[in-house]
Amino acid sequence: MKYFFLSDGWITGRVWEFGGLWDELAWQRRPHIRRLNLFIEERGEKLWLYQVEDTVLMVEVKPQDVAKPAIGNVVLKRLISAEQAIERLCESQSTEVLE
């Protein structure tokens, strides 16, 4: 599995795999992307931990509120490993777990 942190108010969009954009017809399913119940706070902002399957190379993220877009969209190209995610969670002084 791979991981990334995403700020509150942002959602995932297009997904890329080794062959290009994720093709739901070829894969016969959507890519596995799951928001976990873990977040860190950085400068007063919640960053949620997301889990994606290994075949995912890049994930497009964009603000959920498109009425006032400060940023159009962003493509996350450097997804992190489980070890890196755990390290980042441990470094954060305000890691929280929701149940």
Side-chain angles (χ1 to χ4, degrees):
M1 291 297 199
K2 296 178 185 174
Y3 299 85
F4 63 92
F5 287 94
L6 188 58
S7 181
D8 245 351
W10 284 66
I11 57 173
T12 59
R14 297 176 295 176
V15 174
W16 286 264
E17 47 99 6
F18 291 107
L21 274 174
W22 188 277
D23 184 355
E24 289 184 26
L25 292 175
W27 283 90
Q28 297 183 351
R29 63 178 175 80
R30 298 181 56 97
H32 298 294
I33 301 176
R34 185 170 71 128
R35 188 178 101 171
L36 304 176
N37 286 330
L38 290 169
F39 69 88
I40 57 176
E41 277 196 26
E42 219 172 69
R43 290 180 240 129
E45 189 173 4
K46 281 185 182 176
L47 300 172
W48 291 93
L49 182 61
Y50 280 75
Q51 180 184 58
V52 297
E53 61 186 284
D54 281 328
T55 54
V56 172
L57 290 180
M58 298 184 293
V59 178
E60 174 188 54
V61 296
K62 52 192 173 186
Q64 191 170 13
D65 185 8
V66 293
K68 49 180 180 175
I71 299 174
N73 63 359
V74 176
V75 176
L76 303 177
K77 296 180 179 182
R78 295 189 68 198
L79 303 175
I80 60 177
S81 67
E83 292 82 11
Q84 291 169 313
I86 291 169
E87 183 178 310
R88 184 69 180 96
L89 289 165
C90 290
E91 287 174 359
S92 174
Q93 294 180 359
S94 58
T95 301
E96 301 204 16
V97 178
L98 297 181
E99 295 191 34

